Amino acid sequence: MTEHEPPPIRIGVVGTGFMGRQHLEFIRAAPGATLAAVADPVPAPEAGRGLPGYEDAGSMLAAEDLDAVVIANPNALHVDTALDCLEAGVAVLVEKPVAMAYAESRRLVAAVARLDGRLLVGHHRRHHPAVARARAAIQEGELGSVVAVGGIWSARKDDAYFAETSWHRRPGAGVLLINVVHDLDLLRHLCGEVAEVQAMTSSHARGLEVEDTVSLSLRFESGAVGSLLASDAGVSPWGWDQATEETLAFPYLPDGVAYRVVGTQGALSVPNLARYAYDPAVPADWHSPLSRTYLPVAPRGSFQAQLAHFIDVARGVTRPLVTAEDASRTLALVEAAALAARTGATVDVAQFRAAIDARATEGPADGQGRR
Ligand SMILES: NC(=O)c1ccc[n+]([C@@H]2O[C@H](COP(=O)([O-])OP(=O)(O)OC[C@H]3O[C@@H](n4cnc5c(N)ncnc54)[C@H](O)[C@@H]3O)[C@@H](O)[C@H]2O)c1
């Protein structure tokens, strides 16, 4: 640390399961942060070996002088844990999904506004350098006007993932809320808001209460259309986790692609950033050969970039890239897709959100005067 650098921020981690343990490693490796404490009813191996460990977030917040908390406990606890942290005045990085349901996420959106809270939601893919470059290519018209986007996330999860962790088998989990939430968040980030969604889901492969496979059709407000296939039962090289070198937990495949964006003047696959276009000297139609160029980006892991960004959010020097409001909209889209699958109807996403917002306004306030 030079004399001009601010002191490292003290971060506590709530939930030290699969994802929480990864956050511990990211924090340990990050310049600008110190791992101060953990909270989990099942003690992490490091707790007690020099790292203070607590049963829950409340006792950690009461005992430790923290600047920030990373929340990686089960989804059902996200909102209440984040509210406790915001009320204690610490910055929050809460794992996705921000809540179990859009209606519940609105409590957090309101609390962030009421408390002027610093809260980032862990849609880490947005921090990947390829995503910023793809977004710039789309927004600056490098592909012409986007007409369509196709996405896929399919990977066979280990059977123990479902057998050993009961919440992974129950409503509140499922491939839509656990995995597709990332893809829909990223498609919103790249291509703008989704106006309408149609969906089919299946639990055929695993036979669980939650869906294992989904197919979605999307219409974006821009007029572009999209499709997204996802499965946690199907083996494939296609999907963000296989297509990026984010973690050794998901071995990298160089031919993995997650999204294909198709425009009137070119196409782009993401995250490998292969851009296809006609030579300006030839007619721009399907009789001409397409050339492929890989757009250059400086490599950086999304989780490391997310943590560096979170440290800045905690210090109050930048606004969160993924706000509670933004993640809440992604969650509404996931729910709209689930409704579309249940009913077979095309769901208008803005109307879907408005109907839930109206019910919340009419409904009774909670015991503390909050809705
Ligand atoms: N960003 C990503 O790519 C990514 C990947 C995996 C999981 N996640 C998210 O991370 C979160 C955790 O998922 P996971 O796969 O690590 O689950 P997990 O079941 O492995 O871990 C959850 C941990 O929370 C602990 N816990 C339970 N109740 C608690 C409480 N009251 N206070 C503190 N800790 C408590 C459990 O003991 C467990 O150690 C979920 O929200 C999940 O959606 C995100």
Side-chain angles (χ1 to χ4, degrees):
M1 191 173 71
T2 71
E3 63 184 283
H4 301 296
E5 279 175 38
I9 65 162
R10 289 170 51 78
I11 305 184
V13 175
V14 179
T16 51
F18 169 74
M19 195 62 228
R21 284 196 303 276
Q22 295 187 63
H23 282 294
L24 300 184
E25 295 313 314
F26 301 139
I27 295 166
R28 282 193 176 109
T34 300
L35 178 62
V38 291
D40 194 310
V42 180
E46 336 31 10
R49 290 201 314 244
L51 181 67
Y54 299 89
E55 280 230 331
D56 54 41
S59 38
M60 180 176 80
L61 288 165
E64 295 287 335
D65 183 16
L66 300 175
D67 301 299
V69 167
V70 173
I71 299 174
N73 55 12
N75 299 344
L77 303 174
H78 285 182
V79 168
D80 284 339
T81 312
L83 286 172
D84 288 346
C85 293
L86 290 176
E87 274 163 11
V90 302
V92 175
L93 166 54
V94 57
E95 265 302 342
K96 46 49 65 175
V98 63
M100 292 275 276
Y102 170 72
E104 187 196 15
S105 72
R106 302 313 290 171
R107 281 206 293 139
L108 195 53
V109 171
V112 170
R114 179 166 49 86
L115 300 165
D116 197 19
R118 293 154 296 155
L119 182 140
L120 173 71
V121 184
H123 285 294
H124 64 276
R125 295 182 193 178
R126 287 204 196 189
H127 300 270
H128 195 282
V131 169
R133 185 63 188 86
R135 192 166 188 249
I138 292 167
Q139 291 192 340
E140 286 160 22
E142 287 179 42
L143 311 179
S145 172
V146 171
V147 294
V149 57
I152 181 165
W153 183 91
S154 188
R156 185 163 175 86
K157 289 187 181 172
D158 46 301
D159 294 339
Y161 176 92
F162 299 96
E164 290 172 9
T165 307
S166 60
W167 73 268
H168 287 162
R169 304 191 291 271
R170 304 224 177 92
V175 73
L176 261 178
L177 199 52
I178 296 270
N179 305 102
V180 173
V181 67
H182 278 303
D183 295 289
L184 288 176
D185 184 71
L186 206 57
L187 291 181
R188 283 185 56 240
H189 187 58
L190 292 176
C191 300
E193 291 294 350
V194 173
E196 291 178 325
V197 58
Q198 298 172 330
M200 285 188 189
T201 59
S202 166
S203 356
H204 178 72
R206 292 194 181 275
L208 298 176
E209 205 181 339
V210 290
E211 77 288 342
D212 50 61
T213 304
V214 306
S215 168
L216 307 184
S217 292
L218 310 167
R219 184 186 304 284
F220 291 85
E221 286 181 358
S222 68
V225 293
S227 70
L228 185 62
L229 286 179
S231 177
D232 63 34
V235 174
S236 97
W238 303 298
W240 181 269
D241 298 299
Q242 306 92 303
T244 52
E245 294 170 87
E246 299 281 34
T247 157
L248 290 175
F250 308 125
Y252 170 62
L253 281 152
D255 53 353
V257 163
Y259 314 107
R260 291 182 170 87
V261 189
V262 179
T264 51
Q265 288 172 32
L268 181 70
S269 56
V270 182
N272 68 346
L273 296 186
R275 181 180 182 276
Y276 299 82
Y278 295 114
D279 184 324
V282 302
D285 65 47
W286 64 347
H287 299 298
S288 298
L290 275 170
S291 66
R292 181 178 61 199
T293 316
Y294 288 95
L295 303 180
V297 282
R300 189 173 192 198
S302 325
F303 287 108
Q304 288 77 7
Q306 174 179 262
L307 181 56
H309 174 69
F310 178 54
I311 292 168
D312 285 345
V313 169
R315 288 186 172 138
V317 298
T318 193
R319 306 285 303 158
L321 178 64
V322 190
T323 60
E325 172 65 41
D326 209 347
S328 171
R329 283 177 171 241
T330 292
L331 194 52
L333 178 54
V334 171
E335 280 175 44
L339 175 66
R342 283 199 303 280
T343 59
T346 301
V347 175
D348 180 305
V349 181
Q351 278 178 15
F352 176 80
R353 279 200 314 268
I356 298 174
D357 292 344
R359 279 204 297 277
T361 313
E362 288 156 14
D366 69 16
Q368 290 155 48
R370 296 182 306 218
R371 292 195 186 279

